[in-house]
Amino acid sequence: MRRIYESSAIDRDDDDPHRPNERDRETKPRAARTVPAAKLSRALVPDWLVRRGVAVDLSVPDRVFARGESVPMHVELRNAFPFPVVVRTRSPVLWTWHVDGRREASTTPEPLPDRTGSFVFDRGERKRFTRRWHGSVRVGPNEWREAEPGEHILTVRLAVDEADAGGLSDEATIRIE
């Protein structure tokens, strides 16, 4: 199709609205100008409003697991707003998971880096992650122990101050038999 328009086979006339115009070979196509939505959102949308629009959901496929069986965790982070938002976090590790209050099922977890980070959500965007807890608790640098039978609480939270109070965390209770 492009060859036809670039050839002289088409009758062109600038004054007739039903015929193509004369082609100006020296004009270059211009890209559409867009606003960097994440930067604009970071500057205009306050943190308290961002926290109201972001939801954290943790789901597990079952509530009862055998001892030693791995537990899959499905995490969904969702922006409910019709505009992009940026969640500012305390570290570049944007979210963490916990078993009975122990981050990543460890009694001595590695410290989080001391730099800040940010989680960018497009309008209405959902981010999905899957993690597995292998039913063990880390008690030393290279030592793991199987979790005791009973109820355990799995928690997911964004790396922000007061995530639990702000609704930026979720938990699920499972039972190990």
Side-chain angles (χ1 to χ4, degrees):
M1 198 66 176
R2 192 174 82 176
R3 284 189 210 156
I4 293 172
Y5 284 106
E6 290 178 353
S7 72
S8 59
I10 294 180
D11 184 27
R12 299 178 183 272
D13 186 6
D14 289 341
D15 296 326
D16 187 358
H18 299 290
R19 290 190 204 166
N21 294 339
E22 288 296 324
R23 186 173 186 114
D24 185 7
R25 301 238 184 244
E26 298 195 15
T27 58
K28 294 181 182 175
R30 289 183 258 166
R33 296 176 193 228
T34 60
V35 175
K39 286 185 179 181
L40 188 64
S41 172
R42 192 176 304 140
L44 296 179
V45 182
D47 286 341
W48 65 267
L49 184 60
V50 168
R51 290 177 179 220
R52 287 183 139 192
V54 175
V56 177
D57 184 42
L58 170 66
S59 62
V60 290
D62 200 3
R63 296 289 179 206
V64 179
F65 295 90
R67 191 169 185 186
E69 183 181 357
S70 67
V71 179
M73 298 179 283
H74 304 286
V75 179
E76 183 178 276
L77 308 173
R78 182 178 62 255
N79 174 16
F81 288 129
F83 51 85
V85 295
V86 177
V87 178
R88 294 180 184 114
T89 60
R90 286 179 283 150
S91 78
V93 177
L94 305 175
W95 64 275
T96 57
W97 61 274
H98 307 257
V99 177
D100 296 331
R102 299 180 186 116
R103 187 165 50 86
E104 297 178 6
S106 176
T107 54
T108 56
E110 303 266 334
L112 292 174
D114 208 17
R115 328 181 289 279
T116 61
S118 60
F119 225 146
V120 179
F121 289 89
D122 201 2
R123 58 187 182 149
E125 181 179 13
R126 295 172 188 260
K127 295 180 187 279
R128 293 183 177 103
F129 305 95
T130 301
R131 295 291 184 269
R132 285 192 176 278
W133 176 44
H134 295 287
S136 300
V137 176
R138 184 177 179 184
V139 292
N142 295 323
E143 184 181 352
W144 293 81
R145 186 177 310 138
E146 277 192 3
E148 296 296 320
E151 287 192 349
H152 296 278
I153 299 173
L154 305 175
T155 309
V156 171
R157 72 175 48 99
L158 290 183
V160 297
D161 295 326
E162 301 174 8
D164 296 331
L168 296 176
S169 67
D170 194 19
E171 62 183 37
T173 303
I174 61 163
R175 181 164 187 74
I176 295 182
E177 295 182 341

